[in-house]
Amino acid sequence: MTTTTGIPAATGALGTARTRVEGRDKVTGAARYAGDIPLPELAHGWLVLSTVARGRVRSVESDAVLAMPGVLAVLHHQNAPRINLDYVGMVGRPDPVIGVFQQDRVPFRGWPVALVVAERPEQAREAAEQLVVHYDQEPHDVTFYAGHPGAYTPEDSPFGRAEETKGDVEAELAASAFVVDAEYTTPEEHHNPMEPHAATAHWDDGRLEVLDSNQGSTWVATELAQIFSLDPGSVRVRSEHVGGGFGSKGVRPTQVAAAMAATVLQRPVRVVMTRRQMFSAIGYRSPTAQRVRLGADASGKLRALDHRSECLTSTVHEFIERSASVGRVLYDAPAHHTSDRVVRLDVPTPTFMRGPGEAPGSFALECALDELAEKSGIDPIELRVRNEPDRGPISGLPFSSRNLVACMEEGSRRFGWADRDPRPGLRREGRWLLGTGMAAASFHSGVGPSTAAVTAEANGTFTVRINAADIGTGARTAIALVAADALGVDPERVRVVMADSDLGPAMFAGGSMGTRSWAWAVSMAVGELRERLALGGDIPPEGITARSDTSEAIGALAQKERHSFGAQFAEVAVDVTSGEVRVRRMLGIFAAGRIVNPLTARNQLVGGMIWGISMALHEEAIRDRASGGHVGPDLAGYHFAANADVPLVEADWVDDPDPDDPVGIKGVGEVGIVGAAAAIANAVWHATGVRHRHLPIRPDRVLSAGTNVPEHRPGA
Amino acid sequence: MAPAPSPTSSVITLTINGEKHTLPVDHRTTLLDALRDHLDLTGTKKGCDQGQCGACTVLLDGRRAVSCLQLAVAAEGREVTTIEGVADGDRLHPVQQAFLDLDGYQCGYCTPGQICSALAVLEEHAEGWPSAVTTDVRPEAGPAPLTPEEIRERMSGNLCRCGAYVSIVQAVARAAEARTDRNEEVVA
Amino acid sequence: MREFGYQRVGDVAEAVAVLGDDPEARFLGGGTNLVDLMKTGVERPARLVDVRELPLGQVESTADGGLRIGATVTNSDLAAHPEVRRRYPALTQAVLAGASGQLRNMATVGGNLLQRTRCGYFTDVTVACNKRLPGSGCPAIEGEHHNHAILGASEHCVATHPSDMAVALTAFDAVVCYETADGPGELPLADFYLPVGDTPHLETALPSGALITGVTLPPAPVAARSRYRKVRERASYAFAIGSIAGALDVRAGVVHDVRLAFGAVASRPWRAREAERSLTGGPVSADAFAAAADAELAAAKVLPHNGYKVPLMRNLVVAVLTELAEEAAR
């Protein structure tokens, strides 16, 4: 069958709620994730992680383990093939943790020291547990605290500048009518996607094939080619369905170890991490120690903003949790200082985790704003409105669009903020003290170069090919909607092929940049296709394909401050006799660019806010000073919100298309978590009169702090 | 005479979604691994392998259970229902349809477990089982209505890191309504 | 996980005989704790004797008005049983406060009593632990212990018992019934768990090779007005940081009978007998409740990070008894 070409009418697919393209597969169990795909002759690899926090591997006693039933190989630093880590990937130089089995040095507890491969996973697991590794142990330091003598100011990097200064902070503080000076801490937090990291590697006709769980197959394939010194075309990475990532699913020891073992054994090898292993080998969010000083004049206008944050990294790789940067977007002041410092400890390297920088940074800054509101007697929303900058406080650049005030106003109306009595400790319901709080949010809107191909098929349908990843965002559906809208056809007629490095380079799903980056490439290819279809004529059996590459267009993008914004509102109930805190309701109003699919975008924004609940009340990895490892690194020892912790959480948005983006997108993946923990902490203060500046707000902390309700002036 | 060492593997017959499967298993193999690795029923997911997340939830003799802590050899003789056995051919079960329509998931990895758990929640509630948030558990108090609060508590054994809980609760509530409507039709 | 033999047994005598006195054999019930411990390497049995199908799955009324609960009754069936809900509502509430619906369907009464501590050092075989490896030390005392014991612990171990169910059973004077090759035996739950002392690895007074066959609850009219309150670090699906089973019988404005047991504060469910003594025959008032709690908690020994449990338990005693008293007054 052939179809005559021509330009159809627009359908308005964009912005219309659509259920997920792959929804049926997900609710029937048909969707195959990386560890679900059967392969003949599949062998199973089990990672062995170090049990000392610093030292050297003296020996790996593999003989006894090789004699165990089903064991095929033990890879370790003395027998593993040499690999290359001297390259710069999509997110910079690689974390040495992925260069598995190349050296005897152990820089932290949980460092991969061996891979045991066996016919069956039960055999591999038991052999891995029985493998005796001898270490020369050295003293370690794993304890993070504010003012650690080893802290230093890192070099600037493409991810941000360590320090920004303007004006005289001390002078402005001294001249301020109201001053807040407070210290905040956030703990070590872990991504914990529900699907553990899994990779299956095999050689197929001279190509390394990896069935993987990742956030971007271009990212992983290009690095694997570097690591194994292969021609880029000789590596194919696919990740059809991904069970969550949140920043943790880039190149990890799983893919490298699986590829190495598949090469040595010349048969398919699967490596799946245990939940416990994930606490050491996939990155995490650094704990932070932050100090915020705010000075304001009598009208609440900021004279000084000083935000200093410290974080940690490993001894082998530098990753900075840029908590201080959020103030460079949200508020201006004549004196403005923001800095991130870092200390190297004998711990794994942290990495990007949902809302990197902004999530912990906004907790400190937005709580400090609330403290300033309390001191100045100005309503927290009004205080923020009075401090709205008209351009980037540090960059001086214009905002592409900034609708934070609209978010606060809409949120205020819907949450019922106007009726709020600002005084703390006044509301009680049985054993529960009630309070409300709010916070502002921002997250930068970025975009990465991508290629796409769109084919008009002879049967009247369209096929979009792009190496996008769907880690739960609804990317497959969003891309179909973007393409359908640009093509002017019903989304049912668009098929999306993705998550395969053979499709060509594309941005990964991260930094709230995925959908924007892919949509740009798809809309560009559709534009080209429509021009060709406009020429008329029959579509040949192989279809007509147009391709795009957004590198040039993105490079030409004007320099502006581009961010999603939001206003977070929370109501909490606190029982200070037991220390329990329950969130009763949350509302988030966002200005996050054009919303492609309201159904999935709302879900993702709400999901981010629920991350805020977990961050505020639950999440905390405990590191044991003596062993250097975690205590209870599993989902019973590391809590995030269960269903019962989550009330009705609502997210909505104001109209806010990015004028310079072809589709108007900004990104919704991260802004939902930003400010959410602060809104909850501010609500806890409103309920109890006590500021909780250390996360999580655990029952023991609430119980120990009790209430602090100031005397209210009669008639006030 | 010393007792003969016990064998460490067995040939077992599992009844899964109404079908009998005979397979040799290492006794260490959990029901979860038997489903995934031996029978290619990979809809049941491994999230923690320690009974701490609920992603591996299946129905055992009609009741929900975590298959990661259930040894396969000990499941012989029991009726196992997995996510693959929930739909009626091409027709989705109302719980599945509600999850799809209301976007009761994001990455989808916890979803099979959530759906199996939700099926059991509806049964448990119909049988009058109280929950930890039921104010009065005495039988005289009668069954608690399946409020959002009850659904949240009853579904709390299934963690969702994406944070799709709000739509999960809505999906379970919708399926519960559909079930009530169906039952009323039968009565009428 | 080590390779192991597996045998399913059909009656109690067979179960006891098959297990014998083999220290490397374990009874398998629901497996919710044992299989997990096998995965983490804490338990490495050579043989499992599967007792789940033993005919011990009934909850029955006893002639004297109590209940006899079979060892293989699942947590779910126990919680849902009408007589448990009617006569011992705190027991239903305690069971429902534990774990998740899935785990409660699997877990058995016998296994629940024998579950091991969730101390993070106990479950990590790469670090020291006196309970797992006697004499190796207790890193919790100098390390992470914010959810560890304040009562009855020793310098050798500060772990807590994780069960909710056992707290309610303790409050109601449950008796554990067991079978050995030499015949049946009984142990009051109060004597079932051994003091920690310098032998934290010895947890119960069950004879070696014994199989728990059930639990008997004596009649307790006071239990009809009872409740269980659990505080934890998230709203559900988490172990307690403090819990309490309470029952109160007020007659003519005076405490006629009272039961109090604490969870998550000791190596075993902690029957608060000092508090009960302080209350019995006395007035029904918040002051009396607080004084009773203080009497019990006077023996508390706290570490740097678990001291909050003292006010927590004190507040829970006052709150739960106040609620029960208000209920009684209605």
Side-chain angles (χ1 to χ4, degrees):
Chain A
M1 166 183 165
T2 58
T3 304
T4 303
T5 58
I7 302 172
T11 58
L14 210 62
T16 310
R18 299 289 294 207
T19 59
R20 290 172 203 250
V21 174
E22 74 285 1
R24 196 180 175 88
D25 287 345
K26 284 183 172 172
V27 300
T28 58
R32 298 266 185 177
Y33 295 72
D36 299 347
I37 300 159
L39 280 175
E41 295 294 298
L42 181 64
H44 299 266
W46 205 278
L47 286 167
V48 179
L49 306 183
S50 74
T51 55
V52 303
R54 186 183 172 98
R56 289 184 186 277
V57 177
R58 194 164 66 233
S59 65
V60 178
E61 306 294 330
S62 53
D63 288 355
V65 156
L66 284 165
M68 292 173 71
V71 175
L72 299 167
V74 179
L75 296 178
H76 52 84
H77 73 281
Q78 284 169 321
N79 66 0
R82 296 300 101 181
I83 56 177
N84 166 51
L85 280 195
D86 187 15
Y87 64 88
V88 178
M90 283 175 85
V91 293
R93 301 195 71 82
D95 179 350
V97 72
I98 70 171
V100 292
F101 324 135
Q102 299 297 297
Q103 51 167 327
D104 62 351
R105 178 131 285 300
V106 173
F108 58 80
R109 199 176 205 269
W111 175 260
V113 293
L115 182 80
V116 177
V117 190
E119 296 284 353
R120 301 275 320 126
E122 295 86 0
Q123 295 166 335
R125 174 179 206 148
E126 171 65 1
E129 283 164 5
Q130 293 307 304
L131 182 68
V132 174
V133 180
H134 293 291
Y135 301 92
D136 290 323
Q137 198 171 349
E138 298 165 16
H140 60 254
D141 179 7
V142 299
T143 308
F144 174 80
Y145 54 91
H148 193 291
Y152 64 93
T153 302
E155 299 286 314
D156 292 341
S157 87
F159 295 104
R161 284 164 58 82
E163 187 164 16
E164 294 280 10
T165 304
K166 70 172 184 184
D168 184 339
V169 167
E170 304 303 330
E172 293 292 340
L173 282 173
S176 291
F178 305 107
V179 172
V180 170
D181 181 352
E183 292 181 1
Y184 304 85
T185 62
T186 64
E188 177 179 328
E189 297 163 346
H190 288 256
H191 309 78
N192 276 312
M194 294 309 299
E195 181 203 17
H197 292 55
T200 307
H202 63 110
W203 285 90
D204 183 22
D205 199 19
R207 296 185 83 201
L208 176 64
E209 295 250 6
V210 182
L211 301 168
D212 189 28
S213 176
N214 67 48
Q215 294 179 228
S217 291
T218 298
W219 178 9
V220 175
T222 52
E223 292 205 31
L224 287 179
Q226 290 275 6
I227 290 166
F228 291 98
S229 302
L230 297 168
D231 178 80
S234 301
V235 180
R236 184 184 191 188
V237 178
R238 285 178 283 174
S239 56
E240 181 73 14
H241 297 287
V242 182
F246 314 113
S248 72
K249 282 183 176 164
V251 186
R252 286 290 153 196
T254 37
Q255 301 107 333
V256 181
M260 189 181 274
T263 305
V264 169
L265 292 169
Q266 285 299 307
R267 62 185 278 191
V269 175
R270 174 171 296 161
V271 177
V272 183
M273 277 190 204
T274 66
R275 182 58 57 179
R276 284 178 169 246
Q277 289 173 343
M278 289 166 70
F279 279 81
S280 301
I282 66 164
Y284 58 98
R285 195 198 304 281
S286 168
T288 68
Q290 305 179 56
R291 182 181 182 195
V292 180
R293 293 189 297 167
L294 300 175
D297 65 20
S299 73
K301 187 93 181 134
L302 286 173
R303 298 189 65 146
L305 184 158
D306 181 28
H307 187 172
R308 297 161 192 258
S309 180
E310 290 179 34
C311 61
L312 61 70
T313 191
S314 69
T315 58
V316 292
H317 191 69
E318 187 182 82
F319 179 87
I320 311 298
E321 182 73 22
R322 299 184 182 278
S323 305
S325 61
V326 65
R328 298 173 192 169
V329 175
L330 279 177
Y331 307 110
D332 201 358
H336 199 291
H337 174 258
T338 49
S339 68
D340 287 293
R341 286 163 62 80
V342 64
V343 58
R344 289 185 180 268
L345 297 172
D346 300 308
V347 297
T349 314
T351 192
F352 304 96
M353 178 164 149
R354 199 172 199 173
E358 274 88 342
S362 67
F363 166 66
L365 184 61
E366 289 301 296
C367 285
L369 256 289
D370 205 65
E371 299 197 35
L372 183 61
E374 178 197 352
K375 284 199 168 172
S376 63
I378 300 169
D379 174 75
I381 291 178
E382 178 58 27
L383 179 67
R384 287 168 173 85
V385 170
R386 289 182 194 177
N387 283 290
E388 264 291 284
D390 55 7
R391 49 187 50 240
I394 297 302
S395 69
L397 294 169
F399 289 96
S400 64
S401 66
R402 180 175 171 116
N403 284 308
L404 174 56
V405 172
C407 292
M408 291 192 289
E409 285 172 350
E410 174 68 4
S412 169
R413 189 182 64 77
R414 287 175 53 173
F415 192 77
W417 189 261
D419 302 331
R420 178 182 189 257
D421 185 330
R423 297 172 300 171
L426 293 181
R427 295 141 297 269
R428 179 180 279 278
E429 194 180 289
R431 63 187 176 97
W432 301 100
L433 296 169
L434 307 182
T436 53
M438 63 82 58
S442 80
F443 195 81
H444 60 85
S445 169
V447 62
S450 297
T451 62
V454 181
T455 302
E457 306 286 0
N459 65 4
T461 65
F462 296 85
T463 305
V464 178
R465 290 182 173 80
I466 183 164
N467 186 17
D470 193 336
I471 58 172
T473 60
R476 198 175 274 104
T477 314
I479 289 167
L481 293 181
V482 167
D485 191 78
L487 286 161
V489 302
D490 189 284
E492 301 293 330
R493 282 169 65 191
V494 178
R495 189 171 69 99
V496 178
V497 180
M498 51 181 258
D500 179 346
S501 63
D502 274 4
L503 296 170
M507 185 57 191
F508 50 76
S512 294
M513 293 187 275
T515 302
R516 181 176 172 210
S517 303
W518 306 319
W520 193 324
V522 168
S523 65
M524 186 184 267
V526 168
E528 163 79 17
L529 182 65
R530 289 186 64 136
E531 280 179 26
R532 290 173 57 185
L533 295 180
L535 301 173
D538 284 349
I539 295 179
E542 71 275 16
I544 296 174
T545 299
R547 296 174 197 282
S548 65
D549 181 343
T550 59
S551 308
E552 208 173 303
I554 289 171
L557 204 55
Q559 284 286 307
K560 284 184 188 171
E561 291 276 355
R562 299 177 192 279
H563 311 274
S564 292
F565 292 93
Q568 304 268 13
F569 296 83
E571 178 178 347
V572 303
V574 185
D575 177 355
V576 293
T577 68
S578 65
E580 294 158 291
V581 178
R582 297 278 187 274
V583 178
R584 290 209 160 177
R585 62 184 172 121
M586 277 188 91
L587 171 68
I589 303 291
F590 300 93
R594 185 102 181 257
I595 299 302
V596 175
N597 183 354
L599 184 68
T600 53
R602 179 170 282 117
N603 201 338
Q604 215 185 345
L605 288 165
V606 168
M609 294 166 70
I610 291 170
W611 270 56
I613 294 177
S614 296
M615 181 179 167
L617 304 182
H618 309 298
E619 291 186 48
E620 176 179 31
I622 307 288
R623 199 171 275 283
D624 183 61
R625 188 183 291 238
S627 76
H630 291 112
V631 184
D634 55 38
L635 296 182
Y638 184 92
H639 288 159
F640 54 84
N643 204 319
D645 293 286
V646 177
L648 187 59
V649 177
E650 293 181 281
D652 213 337
W653 44 83
V654 299
D655 193 38
D656 177 52
D658 184 300
D660 302 324
D661 183 89
V663 191
I665 297 171
K666 281 186 174 178
V668 299
E670 286 159 278
V671 71
I673 185 178
V674 182
I680 293 165
N682 293 339
V684 170
W685 167 79
H686 191 230
T688 65
V690 175
R691 293 284 174 189
H692 284 271
R693 302 186 182 94
H694 307 287
L695 296 185
I697 305 174
R698 290 193 314 252
D700 61 313
R701 287 175 163 157
V702 175
L703 183 66
S704 303
T707 57
N708 176 26
V709 181
E711 284 297 313
H712 295 117
R713 292 188 309 278
Chain B
M1 198 171 74
S6 309
T8 58
S9 63
S10 299
V11 175
I12 62 169
T13 299
L14 293 175
T15 307
I16 299 160
N17 303 327
E19 208 176 303
K20 284 194 176 350
H21 302 263
T22 299
L23 63 157
V25 291
D26 186 319
H27 290 159
R28 293 174 292 188
T29 306
T30 59
L31 176 59
L32 173 61
D33 288 339
L35 292 169
R36 292 174 54 80
D37 297 342
H38 294 257
L39 302 168
D40 197 30
L41 290 167
T42 56
T44 307
K45 303 303 185 195
K46 184 184 287 189
C48 72
D49 211 22
Q50 288 191 271
Q52 298 168 348
C53 79
C56 65
T57 301
V58 299
L59 303 181
L60 271 184
D61 296 332
R63 289 188 175 185
R64 53 180 167 162
V66 287
S67 57
C68 69
L69 295 181
Q70 173 67 48
L71 296 174
V73 65
E76 189 164 30
R78 306 183 72 181
E79 298 276 343
V80 183
T81 304
T82 70
I83 188 67
E84 289 91 348
V86 171
D88 178 10
D90 283 342
R91 216 176 69 233
L92 294 181
H93 187 281
V95 171
Q96 292 173 308
Q97 192 66 50
F99 269 73
L100 199 161
D101 291 343
L102 296 171
D103 213 38
Y105 49 52
Q106 287 179 35
C107 77
Y109 198 77
C110 72
T111 308
Q114 300 274 3
I115 289 172
C116 286
S117 203
L119 293 169
V121 165
L122 300 185
E123 290 297 324
E124 291 165 7
H125 181 256
E127 283 179 40
W129 289 14
S131 87
V133 297
T134 306
T135 316
D136 190 344
V137 299
R138 291 173 308 150
E140 293 73 22
L146 198 56
T147 59
E149 187 193 14
E150 283 279 355
I151 294 172
R152 286 177 195 129
E153 163 58 26
R154 291 167 190 258
M155 290 296 292
S156 279
N158 294 81
L159 299 181
C160 169
R161 182 53 158 166
C162 297
Y165 294 129
V166 174
S167 46
I168 288 169
V169 172
Q170 288 165 349
V172 176
R174 179 180 285 188
E177 281 165 28
R179 182 192 163 101
T180 310
D181 293 347
R182 271 200 317 285
N183 289 350
E184 278 168 5
E185 276 168 36
V186 173
V187 172
Chain C
M1 197 190 295
R2 174 187 182 184
E3 290 186 294
F4 58 85
Y6 170 88
Q7 193 169 346
R8 200 179 291 196
V9 289
D11 68 59
V12 170
E14 185 193 2
V16 172
V18 167
L19 190 91
D21 55 3
D22 181 355
E24 297 209 300
R26 293 284 183 279
F27 289 122
L28 173 70
T32 54
N33 191 210
L34 179 58
V35 175
D36 181 24
L37 291 172
M38 288 164 65
K39 289 186 183 192
T40 49
V42 174
E43 287 276 6
R44 293 181 56 81
R47 286 194 303 135
L48 292 185
V49 180
D50 186 345
V51 297
R52 204 190 58 85
E53 290 185 357
L54 294 182
L56 302 170
Q58 301 298 314
V59 179
E60 294 156 327
S61 290
T62 55
D64 61 2
L67 287 179
R68 156 93 194 184
I69 303 160
T72 63
V73 170
T74 64
N75 283 191
S76 294
D77 284 330
L78 177 64
H81 197 280
E83 288 309 313
V84 176
R85 290 158 62 186
R86 185 173 291 120
R87 293 192 233 165
Y88 307 90
L91 177 55
T92 282
Q93 291 173 336
V95 173
L96 293 175
S100 68
Q102 291 92 314
L103 292 163
R104 293 193 294 271
N105 279 338
M106 301 171 77
T108 61
V109 167
N112 187 305
L113 292 176
L114 292 175
Q115 68 180 306
R116 313 295 301 276
T117 182
R118 261 60 179 192
C119 171
Y121 298 99
F122 174 73
T123 55
D124 180 352
V125 295
T126 67
V127 298
C129 169
N130 284 328
K131 191 183 273 298
R132 180 167 33 74
L133 196 63
S136 61
C138 175
I141 291 169
E142 296 285 320
E144 163 59 25
H145 56 243
H146 95 274
N147 196 14
H148 283 64
I150 56 168
L151 289 166
S154 78
E155 71 271 28
H156 301 281
C157 180
V158 290
T160 58
H161 195 268
S163 174
D164 293 296
M165 181 194 82
V167 178
L169 288 178
T170 296
F172 301 140
D173 292 323
V175 175
V176 180
C177 309
Y178 62 84
E179 189 80 19
T180 67
D182 302 329
E186 285 190 355
L187 270 172
L189 201 49
D191 302 328
F192 182 78
Y193 298 105
L194 298 173
V196 184
D198 55 3
T199 54
H201 60 293
L202 302 176
E203 295 181 347
T204 76
L206 269 187
S208 155
L211 173 74
I212 294 178
T213 54
V215 172
T216 303
L217 277 173
V222 66
R225 182 163 290 122
S226 65
R227 69 177 55 196
Y228 187 76
R229 172 116 177 256
K230 175 176 181 177
V231 178
R232 40 187 157 176
E233 291 181 344
R234 69 180 169 198
S236 187
Y237 202 14
F239 293 98
I241 57 170
S243 71
I244 180 169
L248 185 64
D249 185 352
V250 178
R251 297 189 188 172
V254 170
V255 174
H256 175 74
D257 194 0
V258 61
R259 305 294 177 88
L260 284 172
F262 300 165
V265 295
S267 65
R268 55 188 162 120
W270 188 266
R271 181 72 178 269
R273 292 197 187 276
E274 287 299 326
E276 291 177 2
R277 259 193 291 277
S278 157
L279 288 161
T280 305
V284 178
S285 71
D287 286 349
F289 299 157
D294 290 341
E296 189 67 42
L297 293 162
K301 279 194 211 154
V302 305
L303 295 163
H305 305 299
N306 67 358
Y308 72 94
K309 289 196 179 200
V310 174
L312 173 62
M313 295 315 301
R314 183 183 197 267
N315 293 344
L316 289 181
V317 167
V318 174
V320 165
L321 290 177
T322 302
E323 287 170 20
L324 290 168
E326 283 169 1
E327 210 175 278
R330 271 202 290 274

